[in-house]
Amino acid sequence: MAERIRKNSKKRSAILELLRQTETHPSAEWIYSRLKPEYPGLSLGTVYRNLSLFKEEDQVASVGTVQGQERFDGN
């Protein structure tokens, strides 16, 4: 299968950086709420799409679901 070519974006980098800096297992909603003030154009869908991409690339792991929200680990 051909590798996907994608451009690096500030939002994508910020999502991954925040996830790697936290010692908790945040949800997409938590990540979104922390980054939205700095990136007003950020959507929750963007956070979900990037988390899915990071999982496919083995950059982050899904560690389960708490209260219906998937949690992630970036380390």
Side-chain angles (χ1 to χ4, degrees), residues 1-8 12 45-59:
M1 179 163 39
E3 254 186 69
R4 257 194 263 181
I5 297 176
R6 60 183 169 83
K7 66 179 188 170
N8 195 15
R12 181 177 292 120
T46 297
V47 175
Y48 275 109
R49 280 189 298 279
N50 281 287
L51 288 171
S52 178
L53 180 66
F54 296 149
K55 284 192 316 185
E56 285 178 25
E57 296 175 345
D58 292 326
Q59 293 189 69

Side-chain angles (χ1 to χ4, degrees), residues 5-53:
I5 297 176
R6 60 183 169 83
K7 66 179 188 170
N8 195 15
S9 76
K10 290 180 183 179
K11 292 175 189 174
R12 181 177 292 120
S13 296
I15 292 166
L16 188 57
E17 183 178 332
L18 179 62
L19 187 54
R20 289 187 170 159
Q21 287 177 351
T22 184
E23 294 182 12
T24 64
H25 294 127
S27 65
E29 289 82 358
W30 184 91
I31 294 168
Y32 171 76
S33 70
R34 296 303 184 283
L35 293 177
K36 183 68 174 172
E38 187 175 346
Y39 299 93
L42 181 68
S43 72
L44 185 55
T46 297
V47 175
Y48 275 109
R49 280 189 298 279
N50 281 287
L51 288 171
S52 178
L53 180 66

